[in-house]
Amino acid sequence: MYNLKDFGIEKSSGVLDNGSKIFHFHKSNAPISSFAIFDAGSRHDPIGKEGTAHYTEHMLFKSTKKFKDETETGLFLESIGGSANAFTGVDFLGITAEIGMREDLYKIVDFVHELSRNSLFEESKVNTERGTIFGEIADYESNPALYIQDLTQQVLFQETYAARSIAGTKETVEKISRDDLFEFYSSRILKNTMNIVTAGDADFNEIVGLFNNAFGHEKLSEPHFTQENLNLPRGNPVKIKLYKDTDQVFMGFSFRTCPYKNIDSTPLEVIRTIMGSGFSSSLYRKLRTENGLVYSLDVSSEGSFDRGYFSVITSTSKDKVQKVLHILIDEFRRLREGKILQEELELAKNKIIKEKFRKMQSSGSWAAFHVPEIIFNPENPLDLSDWLNEIEKVKLEDVILVSEKYFNSENWYLSLCGDVKESDFSFIKDSF
């Protein structure tokens, strides 16, 4: 059995005076990292104005009561060797901040308070940033290596909010006004509590005291992250974005799976490692080492409140696409038919567990790892040691049962960026 002491970590948690939940992972002699998470993901974007959450995230840095522009916002932490960022996902929006010395802890709290409570959304800066976002969207859509990720979500979760682009399109962003942004900010960030995750060499009571001094006077609504599972019809399992006159084809071969808080999530993580983690993984060997078909390979298993997916993303030349797909189909069939070996299972579990001892060396890694647990599993969030103990319990029959459940002929989805057409892939239906 593993515990947090094996990593030199002590966990604390509590609730601020304003109702916000806070979690801290104390690690001696480590810098301090924080995540402030808001129920403000792109799933809340108004229809026809997709990209509102992402646009709002950009505007948090543009000007506040204390910071006149983005330069001053960045300088606040950069002047003490720190860093800051923000991100928007489908399900939530986050503000991150990191510092090197405990004496500057108050600056993290000041920073989060200023962006989440005092952003100004000045009209002139809204208009300037619109151009920046147009550029971001154009960069993304013109690069098939990036856009394949977006296209994969579109085909997996078609006809739902989860299929919409987080950044929106040029047409939808054009429609978003300053009032739209400020309304989103007010309703989803300014007037709601948040989840705070911190890690590093700081005292938990000191952190709580600082956050209470900044936010404690508020009486706010509690965020309601949880949702029912998405109702997902089969739809068209193939989606293509045409990039004419290009030889390289980027592809995503995927399956819908389960929400994050589901017992199948742990075996799926083990399967992900068996198939696509490192030189020794089965797909790396079969696609690259043995056949030289691909250069890079990304295998992921992700879950959220109401959905999940398992995906293999890679690229190859146009004339080798079908061969790559045949190898992928054969590998998923092998799993489903129970031809997985005990030694593969043990290797995967050993990789997962010992890799965490190697990788979990920074405060940022500790905070980031626990955000999904705290958001998607709020009633009983696991810490890293709990999660590793669950990995250790996975048996061969678990891997086989989960593979039978999800990797079948009625549940595959294919996304392609390149100079190809849908009729080229009619063979897949009969290949399972």
Side-chain angles (χ1 to χ4, degrees), residues 61 83 150 189 266 281 322 327 392 407:
F61 284 76
S83 66
D150 214 38
I189 297 176
T266 309
S281 62
Q322 291 199 8
I327 290 173
E392 190 72 87
F407 305 147

Side-chain angles (χ1 to χ4, degrees), residues 19-287:
S20 295
K21 295 177 181 177
I22 183 166
F23 303 81
H24 179 56
F25 297 86
H26 181 268
K27 185 174 178 63
S28 296
N29 302 315
I32 300 163
S33 181
S34 76
F35 283 63
I37 305 298
F38 301 88
D39 183 16
S42 65
R43 65 190 174 103
H44 298 296
D45 286 348
I47 300 297
K49 295 184 178 181
E50 288 80 8
T52 299
H54 173 255
Y55 203 154
T56 300
E57 174 225 313
H58 276 235
M59 292 308 303
L60 296 180
F61 284 76
K62 296 304 169 183
S63 62
T64 70
K65 291 179 180 178
K66 181 181 290 188
F67 308 135
K68 71 176 182 181
D69 56 28
E70 196 170 18
T71 300
E72 284 195 2
T73 304
L75 190 61
F76 186 73
L77 291 180
E78 290 170 7
S79 64
I80 55 168
S83 66
N85 208 339
F87 59 90
T88 307
V90 174
D91 300 292
F92 53 82
L93 182 152
I95 299 171
T96 68
E98 189 165 72
I99 58 170
M101 302 179 71
R102 180 171 173 173
E103 65 190 52
D104 295 318
L105 177 61
Y106 73 96
K107 285 208 160 193
I108 281 183
V109 180
D110 286 351
F111 184 82
V112 173
H113 183 267
E114 191 66 14
L115 269 61
S116 66
R117 299 301 185 249
N118 291 326
S119 286
L120 297 179
F121 289 78
E122 295 174 272
E123 187 81 49
S124 62
K125 290 184 169 63
V126 168
N127 292 331
T128 299
E129 195 61 20
R130 195 187 310 273
T132 301
I133 293 173
F134 285 163
E136 181 181 355
I137 292 169
D139 285 349
Y140 199 76
E141 291 185 350
S142 65
N143 186 340
L146 297 175
Y147 195 74
I148 189 63
Q149 302 283 347
D150 214 38
L151 198 66
T152 297
Q153 299 302 304
Q154 291 176 32
V155 72
L156 279 167
F157 303 118
Q158 50 198 281
E159 309 300 327
T160 73
Y161 68 81
R164 299 184 294 176
S165 169
I166 292 172
T169 66
K170 186 174 181 180
E171 291 72 26
T172 63
V173 171
E174 187 71 70
K175 297 176 185 177
I176 299 169
S177 68
R178 186 268 177 193
D179 289 345
D180 294 327
L181 295 170
F182 194 76
E183 167 58 27
F184 188 92
Y185 169 69
S186 297
S187 61
R188 306 243 55 99
I189 297 176
L190 182 62
K191 297 178 181 178
N192 280 324
T193 56
M194 55 192 164
N195 285 270
I196 303 161
V197 189
T198 61
D201 193 1
D203 178 74
F204 179 64
N205 291 328
E206 183 182 2
I207 296 171
V208 170
L210 288 168
F211 272 104
N212 273 334
N213 286 340
F215 294 90
H217 64 284
E218 302 172 334
K219 298 299 179 185
L220 303 173
S221 302
E222 183 177 347
H224 297 285
F225 284 103
T226 56
Q227 286 185 295
E228 298 297 322
N229 288 3
L230 281 179
N231 181 20
L232 291 165
R234 171 72 165 142
N236 185 351
V238 180
K239 195 167 184 67
I240 295 172
K241 182 172 176 62
L242 183 63
Y243 289 81
K244 294 190 72 172
D245 303 320
T246 57
D247 181 62
Q248 197 75 355
V249 176
F250 290 80
M251 67 179 76
F253 193 62
S254 310
F255 300 85
R256 293 171 179 168
T257 56
C258 59
Y260 185 94
K261 194 176 70 172
N262 185 294
I263 59 173
D264 293 341
S265 294
T266 309
L268 283 167
E269 174 60 21
V270 173
I271 294 169
R272 184 200 68 79
T273 305
I274 290 171
M275 296 184 77
S277 177
F279 295 145
S280 59
S281 62
S282 62
L283 284 179
Y284 192 97
R285 286 187 290 105
K286 294 174 182 179
L287 290 173

